Amino acid sequence: MNMFRFLGDMTHLFSVLVLLLKIHTIKSCAGISLKTQELYAIVFATRYLDLFTDYISLYNTVMKLVYLGSSLSIVWYMRRHKLVRRSYDKDQDTFRHHFLILPCLILALLINEKFTFMEVMWAFSLYLEAVAILPQLVLLQRTRNIDNLTGQYVFLLGAYRSFYILNWIYRYFTEVHYVHWITWISGLVQTLLYGDFFYYYFHSWKNNEKLQLPA
Amino acid sequence: FHSPQLKDEL
């Protein structure tokens, strides 16, 4: 475990806690894309299939349970909770996320580290995670006015993968034969997708004005 | 691709 990966995991954990805090305290999910949350639940479910077969460390197991639990509870809140679900603007959150799942599955069947169920699911979860933010970014473009917590949530989510990229560079130079092209390329694509959001986020932060994304 | 290493990352 190196500092970059630890910072990445903490940033990711914090992004999820910011979102849960928002939904739990103000009982609102305005500006949050349910589709992105559902995609993340699928990402964690398919990536952590080895939860009970491979024990790596207590930290690894606990974090997996936290990610699974939080993503599923966020989806539950947005679908079932009588107050929260009312604030979900489903007519704005229209990205057809099913169109993301099939290509990722096909790609995982074609490009994987080994043609086994676990490896294909693992590759699928990486490809899906790379594009899972798209419904959320589209929703932000549509709703334009981004409240602070949502902006912070998306920013932290993008920052976590940036830390992971530093972690992969570090591990490449410090560990023998540490090569994971599938992870590296997916992680890079994922971070690039946040590019313009980061640009506008920093601008609004620098000029101390409300975050506005161009239409 | 090489043999799948143990997935130690989240």
Side-chain angles (χ1 to χ4, degrees):
Chain A
M1 168 67 82
N2 61 66
M3 183 45 74
F4 300 116
R5 183 145 74 96
F6 183 69
L7 280 175
D9 288 343
M10 290 306 108
T11 310
H12 192 195
L13 179 67
F14 201 60
S15 74
V16 165
L17 295 183
V18 158
L19 186 55
L20 262 178
L21 180 86
K22 163 176 176 154
I23 292 176
H24 184 73
T25 44
I26 58 178
K27 293 290 181 283
S28 159
C29 64
I32 299 297
S33 161
L34 172 60
K35 296 175 189 273
T36 285
Q37 298 310 316
E38 286 171 348
L39 289 176
Y40 270 120
I42 296 170
V43 166
F44 293 134
T46 51
R47 185 165 317 167
Y48 300 152
L49 293 171
D50 64 349
L51 185 62
F52 302 110
T53 55
D54 298 337
Y55 178 79
I56 290 149
S57 68
L58 182 63
Y59 171 84
N60 190 273
T61 303
V62 167
M63 289 296 279
K64 284 176 178 175
L65 290 171
V66 167
Y67 287 157
L68 276 167
S70 53
S71 62
L72 290 173
S73 57
I74 287 166
V75 169
W76 178 84
Y77 259 116
M78 293 182 74
R79 278 185 169 279
R80 291 276 181 275
H81 192 283
K82 56 192 179 307
L83 277 181
V84 173
R85 61 190 285 192
R86 271 218 298 260
S87 60
Y88 169 54
D89 39 3
K90 60 174 166 296
D91 49 358
Q92 293 261 36
D93 189 17
T94 56
F95 195 100
R96 277 186 277 281
H97 59 325
H98 302 296
F99 285 8
L100 293 174
I101 295 175
L102 196 61
C104 290
L105 192 55
I106 293 165
L107 191 62
L109 288 166
L110 296 175
I111 303 178
N112 49 63
E113 289 191 352
K114 194 173 174 198
F115 195 72
T116 65
F117 177 72
M118 296 290 270
E119 286 299 326
V120 168
M121 283 293 104
W122 181 75
F124 168 68
S125 80
L126 281 165
Y127 301 143
L128 192 62
E129 186 186 1
V131 294
I133 196 62
L134 284 173
Q136 180 64 62
L137 292 180
V138 166
L139 184 63
L140 289 183
Q141 302 270 352
R142 288 225 179 100
T143 52
R144 287 172 62 75
N145 64 328
I146 303 168
D147 68 82
N148 286 341
L149 278 172
T150 307
Q152 281 155 8
Y153 165 68
V154 177
F155 172 74
L156 288 166
L157 213 47
Y160 121 78
R161 221 53 177 154
S162 314
F163 278 124
Y164 255 78
I165 289 174
L166 297 176
N167 153 63
W168 293 323
I169 294 168
Y170 176 84
R171 291 188 77 174
Y172 176 78
F173 286 112
T174 55
E175 295 175 27
V176 182
H177 305 313
Y178 182 79
V179 174
H180 269 310
W181 288 112
I182 292 176
T183 318
W184 296 347
I185 293 169
S186 315
L188 191 62
V189 166
Q190 182 172 341
T191 307
L192 293 177
L193 285 177
Y194 285 78
D196 70 328
F197 173 82
F198 278 146
Y199 174 77
Y200 291 108
Y201 193 82
F202 279 121
H203 257 274
S204 72
W205 174 70
K206 195 172 62 183
N207 310 337
N208 196 17
E209 68 200 11
K210 187 123 182 64
L211 176 58
Q212 292 283 339
L213 293 181
Chain B
F1 295 100
H2 61 282
S3 71
Q5 291 164 342
L6 196 62
K7 308 282 186 266
D8 64 348
E9 292 183 347
L10 289 170

